[in-house]
Structures are given as C-alpha cells and as structure tokens.
Amino acid sequence: MEVEISRRRFLQGSVALTVVGGTMAGTTALFSEEEKATGTSPRVPKTVTTKTGTGKAEEIPFLCGMCVNKCAGFARVENGIITKLDPNPYFPKSRNMLCPRGNAGIQTAYDPDRLKYPLVRIGKRGSGKYKRVSWEEAYDAILNGTKLFKGLKQILDEEKDNRSTIGYCNGEGLSKEGFETLVGQKLGTPNYVDEVSICLETSGGGFFATLGVYPEIDFEHSDYLIISGANRAEAIITPDTMDMFKRTKGRGIKTVCIDPRFTNTAAKADKWLPVNPGTDLAFVLALTWVVFNENLQNEAFMKKYGVGYEEYKQHILSHKYTPEWAEPICGIKAKDIYTIAREFMNAEAPVYYPGRRSIFSPNDYQLRRAMAIFQALSGNIDKKGGYIYGNPIMLPPEYVNAPIYAQAKPRFDTEGIAFPTLKSGSWIVFRNMILEGKNPYPVRVMFMRKHNPMMSVPNTAKTRKFLEKMDLNVMIDILPSDSAMFADVILPEASYLERTSPVKSYGFLEPAIVQRKAAIKPLYETKEPEVIYKELAEKLAKPLFEISKKYDKDLQEQIKLRGEKKVFEEDGWNLADAWEMSVHEKNKEIVEKAFGPKAWEILDEKGVYYPHMEEYHKQLNPNEYQYYPKNRRFYSTMGDKKRVICKYDHLATRGVDPMPTWHDEWKFSVPEGKFRVITGRHAQFTQSGTTNNAMLRDLIPTNYLWINKGVAKKMGIEFGDMVEIKSEVGKGRLMAYPTEKIAPNQVFMLHGFGSESKGLELAYGNGANDAAILKDDIEPVFGAAVMHSTNVEIRKV
C-alpha cells in the first residue's frame, strides 16, 4: 500500500490518497491462497487513485459513519471513484463541518485490508484461516454448517426450536434497527447485547429517570460550564464542541474541568480540578449541600417541578455532605467546592455537562441522577443556554410482521442487576453467566454485526472463551476485526459510502431529517446490510419454518385451520418481507407520507430536510449558515410538563437508593506499588473501528501509557520505553509517556489499539488493548461495564 497525503491538506479537507493494488497488502493466513488464486473483483481497478481532479464530478449527499455523531457531507465522485469528502452546509447538527475522522472516511472504502467477499472458516477459531466462497455458499454454511461447525438448522432442531439459543450483538449505526429486526424479531431471540452497556447506558438511564430526557445542550448561550470526566476537546470534535471552547478562557463561558488527567479539555478550561477516579458523586453531593445550606437554589422552580424535592433537600443536609466531608474522598479542596457551587447558581445560564463518556464507576447511575438534579436546582432547564428538550421531527413508525415462537425462552442476563429489562442487555452479565453455566438454557449461536467485543468488552480472555464456546458465530462487518477471527462465517458489508441507509431524524433544538445516499456501488463482492438481511432471511425462512412445525403446537393448529401457505405468508414466517422495498424506495415512501413530495425532492438532492428549510436556510458568511432563525429554534417546549424526579421510590423496590447517596465502599484507594488504570478515547479514532485507517494512523501512530513523570524516573522509565501493564485478568505492552499530567497512583491508555487480527496490517500488534487488562466489574443498576476499577502493575521491559 502506498499512501500519498499532505497533513495540512488533510486537515483542511482536501485529501490526496493513492492505494496501489486491489489485493490485500501483506498476505496473511486470512486470505493467503484464495487471494493469490482468484485475484480481486474486476469492479476495482488494480490501481485506485483518489486524487481530486478538476473535471466533471457528481456530488452525492452522505451521512458520515466514522462515529456516532453522524455529520452530513457531499462525496465528490469522479468516474466512479470517490475523490473528496466535503461538509454538507444544509445540516444544522454538523453545520458545514467534517472533523479529521470524517475526512478520513474515504479510506474506509479504499482500505486494502477490508473484507472483500464472503468467507467460511477452514481452520481453528482465531487462526484467521478462511476460504473464499460465494454468497449462496456462505448463507448455506450458516444454515447447514460444515464439517467444522454446526449450522443454525441443526442447532435449532436439537434445541426443539428454542430461538433463545441465539444471541446477537450490534454496533451503532443507521442499519442497526434492521439487524435487530432480522435476529430479534424475525428469528425470534430476546438475547440481545449492544454497545450501550459498554458505553453511556447509565448516563442515558440516569438522566431519563430524573428529567425524562437525555438533553441537548445550548453551549452557544451558556455562561458557566462544569465538565467532568468528558474530554470533549479530544474525544469528539463537533460544532457544539467548538461552541464550547471558542468561548472559554474569559470569552463568555467560564469552564471548570473535573478530570483525573490534565487533558486538552482541561488545558482549554478556565479551571482544572483533578479528581480521584470514581468519586465524582461525592463532589456533586457536596455542591448540592452548599446550595441547600446557603439557599442558592431556584426554589420556585423546584417546588413547581421537583418530585420528592423536600425529601431530597433533607436527605442531603442530614447526611452532612459538606465540602469538608468530600475533600478527602474526591481530592478537591473544600474551598473550591464552595466557590463552584456559588458561581454556578449565580450564573445566568449554567450547565453541568451530562457527558458522553463510558461508565467509570459502580456509582455512575447515581452520579448522573445527582448531576441532573443539581442542574435543575439552577432552574436552567428547557430554556435558552441550558438543557434543551427540543422538538425532534418524528418519522412514522414501521410495522414489522414477525412470527411468535412458542418455544422461545425469556432472556436471562439478570444476575446482580436491579433493572435488567433494557433491550440492550448487559454484555458482561450475559457472557459471564454463559461461561459460568448459570444460563437456564443453552446459548449456542452468536450473530454479530459491526461490533468487536474482543476489544470493547472488559476481560478479553473471557470474551475469547465465550466465542469459542459457541457452536456457530456469524459476523457481518467491514474489516477483519479481532472478533471476526472467531466467526465461522463472515459476511462483508459495504462501507457507509457505498450504501443508502434508512432516513433518520436528528436534533432537538434545530431538528432535521437526513439521508445517506450511496456515493458509489459496493466494491468487490460486498453488499448493503439491508440486502444481506433480506437474502439471509430468504435462505433461512422455509427451513426454520419446517423446524417450528415440528415443535410449535400453535403453529400446527393454525396450519390445520388455514393452510400452510397462508400461515407462512400472513403470520410473519416469510422472514424477508421487511426488505421487499429497497432502502431508497422506503425512504421516499416514508418522507412523502410524512411531509409530502417536495420534502422528498429536497432530501434526495441535499441529503437534509426540515420544515421551512427553503425559507430559513441562509449563508451568513463563507463558513457560517443560519438553519433556524433564533425565534424559531426549540429552546423551550415542555412548559408545565417538566418534572425533576428527586426521589425515585421504584428504585428502592429493587435494592437501589431512591435518592443519590454516597457509600464508603466507593472510596478511591490503590495498593502500594500498583496504579489505577484509566482509559479514554481520542478525536482521531472511534474505538477499535478506525485504528487500521492509514490517514488517521498518520495523526496518532499508537497508544502510549501515561505515567507520572516522577514515578517513571524512580522506575527508570523514559519516553518511548516499552513497558508491560498487567492486571489480574490480562496484560499488554506499549510505549511509555512520562508526564506531570497524571497523578502518581494512576496511569492512562487510549482505547482501541492492540489488535491481534493479522488481517489488519496497520492495527495488528500496534499498542495495547485496554479490554484485555480491565476487570469485568459492573454497576448494579443496568449491569453496565465499569471501566475505572482496575489496579495494575507496571514494569519496564
């Protein structure tokens, strides 16, 4: 692979990239003889150059798939090749901006290591030995198996049609719901786990329980900001991030950063206060005590909207959550806590940022509730400069005709969880119960899509055993990830630039609906996800129907009454009926039904539509646009419907504190000679999904271990030295970064590195995988993964 790229031009959004050779760069066991024997698809020339030309080109609206934010852009296409990605000036959410990840999305399509065609395993799981097959052969292997693994038909027959023997996991994205429809509703299993339980599950849960919304923030008009644990200046670069930081340092929004590390966010803040990991709750409770003790709260607001408000006030005061109490716990001086509480409540438009981070501690759910209540005490909710409920544009719901499987058993990942009913489940509890033999029935199949649990779920050693335990693993993805190496069948998905995706609605303050259109046709033998869902459903429908006929008495009765053909077609057994229309056709139908033909014309051309768009949208200067006039934005929409749930009695019935409460077992402590490892993300990478991207790798080549400079000196560790980091569950090696930006008893590493898949030329063996080192602790409300509870040993190697 040859890469020709100018860093300056890349950051400006003008990309020059040359990929030489349509085959994989560096032959591995994954593609070995099959690559040599068959070559690549004739659809892709041996030399693909994406240098931007000056001639005729198409401009295709797309929605970025490089992270969760989904910014809009236009793909410049010359002679069937994407040569440049530009921001879309019509989308209020992304406001004519693409970050470095968004610009590097072009490499997603042209990554030489991407999955090019269906594969069936011919070696030991994890060995990377696969055979190239046709799509029909791949679907047949899923249904009927091979000599190395059982097929779905045999497994379900052995389980007497218990569809719950199937588990499935899913990553974030616009085709997520279709995969859930296929496996969850059509195949009929409740055993679903997704990225939420290893991401921001407690944040969403805590804010929804307290305020009824996970809010949007109006940073543009805020004047005081507390941001704790979230590293916005590095983790996600979006227009609202820019709104935040262009006004710090005395320019309109005083910012207090609460974080164990001195991050770039801390550097851009007006004040940085290092906090002991996992003790933010003590800090917020102490802030709240100051407010109540000095009567700083918006009393009228809380008396009107607060549920259990008086009880919460007495709860805080009676527990004596004073700043003096909090100081030895969280490491923040009492005088700073007093100052911040007073400044926050005296500000015109203060915001305690809800956070987009992972779960750091077992008390994370209660922390989010305490944060939401503290914000409410200011009265700065459902108003300009505060938390925004907004008015999202609602798309009409879709009806799915799915069969009912009488033999299916209920989901079981409930051990140690107060509220196990969320659809997203708990990855750790689900995995561990199966490994420990606590599942009430066998789980023998895993369907996986756009998800890499080997590098995202804490305790990789257990995830490896879990995937090895399955009788059948199926992966739908773009790259040969670590988890894909444990699949029996791999189905290659088209990249986000090669597919049209279901229309979506985004935004609360300035809502819009957006559409991703395919910039180019799927490369090699890849297919759009919805096409995969349809074809796989067609392959499975009749054989699995025959199995259900053997064991499902209700089905047998219906066949006697109405005939097999009618039952199959009318009762949802035709598993492919949800994808009879193409995504483009369905999008057109949905939008025209909801907003009329003119709306569809605008959306199809510009990729974005919102009511009055032609009237509202105006260019203000070369890089700034008006989307909604300020008097048409949805700053305040809830009126007297607002509620702030300070006391949640239902929690007590599940053994959870009905009000945020501190427990001493949450105090931070690290044994002598060990370190608390903390982890995080960076704006140039999205978890493990982008660490093979050549353009982003050029910006950040690997992850380093941050270690306190004084400690490193005593240990004889210098910058760039290779060190081993070891916990009770695993270990890894990476280079050291001695710094004064972290406390002596803590170390830090970026997430997403350390791949063991030899199919990824740039990611393989690069740095260390934090999931291999982190313990699999859970918080007790949702069973979400706790990321900052692991102590480690460090040694120079």
Side-chain angles (χ1 to χ4, degrees), residues 369-387:
R369 294 204 64 230
M371 290 163 57
I373 297 169
F374 182 75
Q375 175 72 30
L377 293 177
S378 71
N380 196 30
I381 287 179
D382 191 35
K383 61 187 293 190
K384 192 173 183 178
Y387 282 11

Side-chain angles (χ1 to χ4, degrees), residues 678-743:
I678 55 180
T679 185
R681 294 165 172 80
H682 199 279
Q684 271 66 58
F685 287 104
T686 303
Q687 288 82 40
S688 61
T690 58
T691 48
N692 202 63
N693 188 301
M695 298 165 76
L696 297 177
R697 170 75 177 269
D698 185 52
L699 298 177
I700 303 179
T702 188
N703 64 343
Y704 288 80
L705 186 73
W706 287 37
I707 183 170
N708 180 269
K709 185 175 285 187
V711 173
K713 186 175 182 180
K714 290 179 181 178
M715 297 179 69
I717 296 172
E718 297 182 355
F719 176 77
D721 285 348
M722 189 62 66
V723 295
E724 180 183 81
I725 176 172
K726 182 180 180 182
S727 73
E728 62 188 77
V729 302
K731 60 185 178 181
R733 291 187 176 188
L734 70 171
M735 289 187 287
Y737 171 57
T739 176
E740 294 177 353
K741 298 176 183 178
I742 195 165

Side-chain angles (χ1 to χ4, degrees), residues 386-404:
Y387 282 11
I388 303 297
Y389 290 77
N391 187 31
I393 296 175
M394 303 304 293
L395 294 167
E398 291 187 57
Y399 173 74
V400 175
N401 186 23
I404 297 174

Side-chain angles (χ1 to χ4, degrees), residues 161-166 188-192 405-414 420-421 430 433 438-443:
D161 201 36
N162 174 21
R163 300 302 177 103
S164 301
T165 197
I166 303 168
T189 176
N191 287 318
Y192 176 55
Y405 298 98
Q407 303 299 105
K409 304 293 189 289
R411 70 182 303 158
F412 58 82
D413 57 335
T414 61
T421 56
F430 177 72
M433 287 185 71
K438 295 179 180 178
N439 44 309
Y441 51 81
V443 174

Side-chain angles (χ1 to χ4, degrees), residues 2-235:
E2 296 179 5
V3 178
E4 177 188 330
I5 183 168
S6 159
R7 183 188 300 270
R8 177 172 294 182
R9 285 174 60 78
F10 168 54
L11 291 173
Q12 290 174 337
S14 182
V15 178
L17 171 69
T18 302
V19 179
V20 179
T23 60
M24 300 288 288
T27 303
T28 70
L30 176 58
F31 299 102
S32 57
E33 299 306 317
E34 290 299 319
E35 280 277 343
K36 296 174 184 177
T38 60
T40 57
S41 166
R43 272 203 15 80
V44 182
K46 289 185 177 181
T47 299
V48 174
T49 176
T50 62
K51 286 186 176 180
T52 305
T54 58
K56 184 179 178 181
E58 295 179 271
E59 298 288 340
I60 310 296
F62 72 92
L63 207 60
C64 187
M66 295 296 282
C67 84
V68 68
N69 208 61
K70 301 294 176 288
C71 297
F74 283 99
R76 179 179 173 86
V77 181
E78 303 177 42
N79 298 317
I81 304 297
I82 303 168
T83 62
K84 191 171 184 288
L85 300 179
D86 290 310
N88 186 330
Y90 297 103
F91 191 24
K93 190 171 187 284
S94 55
R95 288 188 247 157
N96 199 38
M97 176 178 167
L98 279 180
C99 75
R101 272 185 288 184
N103 276 288
I106 197 169
Q107 177 69 7
T108 301
Y110 298 118
D111 190 329
D113 292 345
R114 64 178 290 186
L115 295 166
K116 298 180 177 70
Y117 32 71
L119 300 166
V120 172
R121 179 170 64 86
I122 57 173
K124 184 180 178 181
R125 277 202 181 127
S127 67
K129 293 183 179 178
Y130 289 85
K131 177 177 70 173
R132 177 180 179 176
V133 297
S134 68
W135 278 93
E136 182 61 27
E137 289 172 317
Y139 294 144
D140 185 74
I142 293 170
L143 179 64
N144 296 309
T146 70
K147 64 181 181 180
L148 291 181
F149 57 89
K150 293 182 178 181
L152 188 59
K153 184 167 68 174
Q154 179 182 352
I155 293 167
L156 286 176
D157 203 5
E158 291 173 353
E159 294 299 325
K160 295 181 169 53
D161 201 36
N162 174 21
R163 300 302 177 103
S164 301
T165 197
I166 303 168
Y168 69 115
C169 62
N170 202 358
E172 180 276 330
L174 299 186
S175 296
K176 178 177 182 175
E177 288 79 6
F179 186 67
E180 294 169 14
T181 296
L182 172 66
V183 189
Q185 294 176 275
K186 294 294 190 176
L187 296 186
T189 176
N191 287 318
Y192 176 55
V193 285
D194 73 0
E195 85 284 353
V196 175
S197 72
I198 50 175
C199 191
L200 46 69
E201 186 167 48
T202 54
S203 182
F207 274 87
F208 268 105
T210 308
L211 303 178
V213 67
Y214 182 77
E216 188 174 318
I217 308 301
D218 180 22
F219 291 117
E220 184 181 0
H221 298 103
S222 300
D223 64 352
Y224 196 96
L225 173 67
I226 301 174
I227 182 166
S228 59
N231 187 13
R232 280 297 294 258
E234 293 178 80

